[in-house]
Amino acid sequence: MEKKNNIMKQSRTPSSIIVIVFAIGLASLASAQPPGGGPGRGGPGGRGPGGPGRGSSNAAATLEAFVAKWLSMDENSDGKLSSEELIDDRLKHLFKATDKNSDGILTQEEMKVLFETTSSAGGRGGPRGRGGPDGPGGPGGPGGRGGRPDGPPPIPR
Amino acid sequence: MFLKNPLPRRRMLTTSLAFAAGLYTTKGLFADLLSSPSLTEGPFYPDHLPLDLDNDLLVINNSITPAVGTITQLSGRVLDSKGDPIKGLTVEIWQCDANEVYLHSRDSGPKKKQQDLNFQGFGRFETSSKGEYRFRTIKPVPYPGRPAPHIHFKVKRGDRELLTTQLMIRGHEGNKRDGIFAEAGDAIDQELIQADFLPIPDSKTGDYYAKFDIVLGRTPEDKH
């Protein structure tokens, strides 16, 4: 009996493995489909006008990343950036332009305003389009504006 | 007397340790400079380098006819992320001439008639001990499909390429319509690829100047 049981157990194991593998396969298929479908669709959407290859090098254009760049110089960690803390001379001009009330301090609100105005200015269409989890619709437009303009010859990436 | 001394010493040690810890947790003091964005090389890195590779792009060898365009003294430094100069790097620039022709057979071929044959189109310079480079070239002009006037840059150590990027004119109206400019990233990234092109005071020939510092990101094998 014990042997039989063992045999039974043994013979049950492979089939249960098959069932489990099958189930996992189904589950992964099911779970893979939505994301797979999403990006799949999103890709062509963004690709239309500009090309998803674009902007990949600096695609992390989020408000958080933008603010974090400024605050990487925030020496006293008060969440603002003063002109004294600005150690990068290359950003002096932008600092001035962003400091709307000219108090020598960049608040996160001012950083946000800059981010939003420059984003809507058309610049970063590319990266937004790529981000495109929202699919082909909305982001498709900005993606196009960011699109490669280098008309004549294709610029190798 | 001996008993009193150890305590202050210990305090001093603690204080100095705390100070040191404070320094290391203070972001600003050890903040890295932001790396210059990497941008596409484009299709026109010269396929045949000119015989004259110096940093004066306005005059080829001993020619007496200078290139057409607004003379620009372009200089800057190459720095590491801590702001220290990097010497001995090769900085290369290339750009189209005032008639929108690159020193590349695929561009100059079809545009033979409009090419400014007196423009060198490409130059090299080795950074000094202060990380400095300088070129004499023309103020860049727009190129068909590229509304932002630009100068291509490549920074190398020997033959190894460390950065490929482009310099654009700060505030030029074409920048906003330029795809490569947009590709640089957010407003900070875009700022890092721009420089003011300004008239040199008292220049009788109406020359311009531009200063463009480049910061290289830190990669393990690129430490100097």
Side-chain angles (χ1 to χ4, degrees), chain A residues 54 58 69 90 123-124 149 155-156, chain B residues 34 40 145 179 182 184-186 189:
Chain A
R54 309 192 63 260
N58 301 297
K69 278 185 198 171
R90 298 171 301 164
R124 276 158 313 95
I155 287 191
Chain B
L34 296 168
T40 178
D186 58 35
D189 296 316

Side-chain angles (χ1 to χ4, degrees), chain A residues 11-103:
Chain A
S11 65
R12 208 178 290 149
T13 312
S15 64
S16 60
I17 287 175
I18 291 170
V19 170
I20 290 168
V21 167
F22 185 66
I24 290 173
L26 275 180
S28 61
L29 262 180
S31 64
Q33 260 182 352
R41 256 174 243 136
R47 200 173 287 141
R54 309 192 63 260
S56 55
S57 56
N58 301 297
T62 62
L63 174 61
E64 291 72 24
F66 183 67
V67 170
K69 278 185 198 171
W70 283 117
L71 295 183
S72 67
M73 295 174 275
D74 176 21
E75 188 181 325
N76 62 8
S77 302
D78 65 351
K80 302 171 197 167
L81 187 69
S82 68
S83 53
E84 291 79 25
E85 290 171 322
L86 184 72
I87 56 167
D88 197 329
D89 287 347
R90 298 171 301 164
L91 296 174
K92 277 184 176 170
H93 182 90
L94 187 64
F95 183 98
K96 252 187 184 176
T98 310
D99 181 18
K100 292 294 179 195
N101 60 2
S102 304
D103 64 350

